[in-house]
Amino acid sequence: LITRTTNDITQIQNVVIMGLRMMVRAPLMAVGGILMAVSQNAGLSLILLVVVVVLGVIIGVLANLTMPLFKVLQIKTDNLNRVLRESLTGVRVIRAFNRTEYEKGKFDVSNKDLTDTSLKVNKMMITIMPLIMLLLNFTNIALIWFGAIRIDTGTFLIGDLMAFIQYAMLILFSVIMMTMIFIMIPRASASAQRIIEVLDMESMIQDPEKPIDVAAGKGV
């Protein structure tokens, strides 16, 4: 319950805050950029379509890989908090029976387990930004290459190409902003499920339909 009311709630708060800031702005920027890019040159816009599809595939694969790990990560955070809480609440018993080193060992095992899982997840997550930057640079190269061919044939102006590159960057940065949200969503989703479990849980102690009236009695 401690982890669910602190760590899990924080994950959902982060997504909501980022979502309110980015998920409204990013699609509008992307749509505006697409309309302007297509009006400039429909042929070059196909390059952007390919890039956006590739980005979507990368995000999809990453989400499928990380979603189960995020669920495991929250469970292991639970376990670490449980071990620490046991050590704090039972500190007198631990000292009385000289079990300090044993409890330290328990904590180290839980901590290493959580650390290893966190490192595994984060190694997956940090690969996305280099991939996106590589994709952005290749997009720039492709736009300049094919734009230069059109300029050479006289069907495109240098100013138009520069404007198109700006529109392309606007679209891709909007996609990156949305990517940042989608990176956070798997962990928030795992946290949301854990919170819903608590909300859906029914108390074992139920008030009777016909309670016994004890007003007449005295506590003697």
Side-chain angles (χ1 to χ4, degrees):
L1 284 173
I2 290 167
T3 310
R4 293 179 198 223
T5 53
T6 53
N7 190 291
D8 287 316
I9 294 289
T10 302
Q11 300 304 328
I12 294 168
Q13 282 177 337
N14 289 339
V15 169
V16 171
I17 291 164
M18 293 288 284
L20 290 171
R21 290 172 56 197
M22 290 186 181
M23 285 302 281
V24 175
R25 186 173 57 176
L28 292 173
M29 286 170 61
V31 169
I34 289 164
L35 291 174
M36 294 303 294
V38 171
S39 67
Q40 282 285 338
N41 194 295
L44 284 177
S45 300
L46 291 173
I47 295 169
L48 300 178
L49 180 65
V50 172
V51 172
V52 169
V53 169
V54 171
L55 266 176
V57 170
I58 291 169
I59 295 163
V61 169
L62 195 70
N64 282 332
L65 289 173
T66 55
M67 186 71 174
L69 287 173
F70 277 129
K71 288 179 182 176
V72 172
L73 195 65
Q74 294 304 105
I75 291 165
K76 290 183 178 180
T77 305
D78 270 348
N79 193 42
L80 184 69
N81 282 343
R82 183 183 57 75
V83 171
L84 185 61
R85 188 170 175 274
E86 281 178 2
S87 299
L88 291 172
T89 54
V91 64
R92 291 184 178 183
V93 178
I94 292 163
R95 290 179 68 185
F97 288 92
N98 194 25
R99 303 294 284 171
T100 306
E101 291 305 316
Y102 173 77
E103 291 297 326
K104 279 183 181 178
K106 266 176 68 176
F107 179 82
D108 288 341
V109 168
S110 297
N111 194 28
K112 189 176 185 309
D113 195 21
L114 177 63
T115 303
D116 290 343
T117 308
S118 298
L119 285 171
K120 189 177 178 181
V121 172
N122 285 312
K123 279 175 184 177
M124 287 183 183
M125 299 304 284
I126 59 172
T127 56
I128 196 164
M129 283 315 291
L131 284 172
I132 288 171
M133 293 312 296
L134 189 68
L135 209 55
L136 281 177
N137 289 324
F138 274 121
T139 305
N140 259 335
I141 292 166
L143 290 174
I144 292 166
W145 180 274
F146 291 107
I149 293 169
R150 283 166 171 75
I151 290 166
D152 196 43
T153 57
T155 58
F156 210 45
L157 299 173
I158 294 173
D160 292 338
L161 177 61
M162 295 306 295
F164 192 90
I165 289 170
Q166 291 299 317
Y167 297 141
M169 291 302 105
L170 185 70
I171 294 163
L172 294 175
F173 276 116
S174 301
V175 173
I176 290 167
M177 285 166 67
M178 287 188 280
T179 303
M180 298 304 291
I181 293 290
F182 285 121
I183 287 170
M184 297 170 73
I185 283 172
R187 188 165 190 179
S189 177
S191 295
Q193 287 175 8
R194 287 158 48 79
I195 292 164
I196 288 165
E197 284 173 8
V198 176
L199 296 174
D200 288 346
M201 189 173 286
E202 293 184 9
S203 176
M204 292 174 68
I205 302 168
Q206 299 289 340
D207 291 330
E209 290 181 10
K210 295 179 180 179
I212 300 169
D213 186 11
V214 293
K218 290 184 179 180
V220 294

